[in-house]
mmCIF file of all heavy atoms in Angstrom:
data_model
loop_
_atom_site.group_PDB
_atom_site.id
_atom_site.type_symbol
_atom_site.label_atom_id
_atom_site.label_comp_id
_atom_site.label_asym_id
_atom_site.label_seq_id
_atom_site.Cartn_x
_atom_site.Cartn_y
_atom_site.Cartn_z
ATOM 1 N N CYS A 7 5.541 16.103 7.887
ATOM 2 C CA CYS A 7 5.390 16.948 9.095
ATOM 3 C C CYS A 7 4.211 17.874 8.817
ATOM 4 O O CYS A 7 3.537 17.774 7.805
ATOM 5 C CB CYS A 7 6.684 17.673 9.402
ATOM 6 S SG CYS A 7 7.117 18.937 8.159
ATOM 7 N N HIS A 8 3.995 18.831 9.683
ATOM 8 C CA HIS A 8 2.832 19.745 9.466
ATOM 9 C C HIS A 8 3.042 20.716 8.333
ATOM 10 O O HIS A 8 2.135 20.953 7.542
ATOM 11 C CB HIS A 8 2.512 20.495 10.790
ATOM 12 C CG HIS A 8 1.261 21.251 10.752
ATOM 13 N ND1 HIS A 8 1.195 22.610 10.588
ATOM 14 C CD2 HIS A 8 -0.033 20.808 10.759
ATOM 15 C CE1 HIS A 8 -0.033 22.999 10.532
ATOM 16 N NE2 HIS A 8 -0.829 21.943 10.681
ATOM 17 N N CYS A 9 4.235 21.295 8.259
ATOM 18 C CA CYS A 9 4.469 22.319 7.260
ATOM 19 C C CYS A 9 4.934 21.788 5.932
ATOM 20 O O CYS A 9 4.910 22.493 4.923
ATOM 21 C CB CYS A 9 5.474 23.315 7.771
ATOM 22 S SG CYS A 9 7.193 22.735 7.821
ATOM 23 N N GLY A 10 5.336 20.532 5.829
ATOM 24 C CA GLY A 10 5.730 19.930 4.555
ATOM 25 C C GLY A 10 7.221 19.955 4.301
ATOM 26 O O GLY A 10 7.649 19.477 3.246
ATOM 27 N N ARG A 11 7.971 20.528 5.210
ATOM 28 C CA ARG A 11 9.444 20.568 4.980
ATOM 29 C C ARG A 11 10.013 19.145 4.984
ATOM 30 O O ARG A 11 11.032 18.881 4.311
ATOM 31 C CB ARG A 11 10.106 21.382 6.112
ATOM 32 C CG ARG A 11 11.622 21.431 6.066
ATOM 33 C CD ARG A 11 12.192 22.412 7.059
ATOM 34 N NE ARG A 11 13.615 22.178 7.166
ATOM 35 C CZ ARG A 11 14.479 23.074 7.703
ATOM 36 N NH1 ARG A 11 14.005 24.244 8.167
ATOM 37 N NH2 ARG A 11 15.722 22.803 7.804
ATOM 38 N N CYS A 70 10.949 18.007 12.317
ATOM 39 C CA CYS A 70 11.038 19.204 11.458
ATOM 40 C C CYS A 70 11.477 20.369 12.295
ATOM 41 O O CYS A 70 10.822 20.716 13.279
ATOM 42 C CB CYS A 70 9.664 19.475 10.848
ATOM 43 S SG CYS A 70 9.650 21.028 9.940
ATOM 44 N N CYS A 73 8.250 23.200 12.065
ATOM 45 C CA CYS A 73 6.945 23.049 12.728
ATOM 46 C C CYS A 73 7.032 22.134 13.972
ATOM 47 O O CYS A 73 6.098 22.049 14.749
ATOM 48 C CB CYS A 73 5.887 22.521 11.726
ATOM 49 S SG CYS A 73 6.138 20.827 11.211
HETATM 50 ZN ZN1 ZN B 201 7.466 20.958 9.321
#
Side-chain angles (χ1 to χ4, degrees):
C7 67
H8 188 256
C9 73
R11 176 171 167 163
C70 173
C73 69

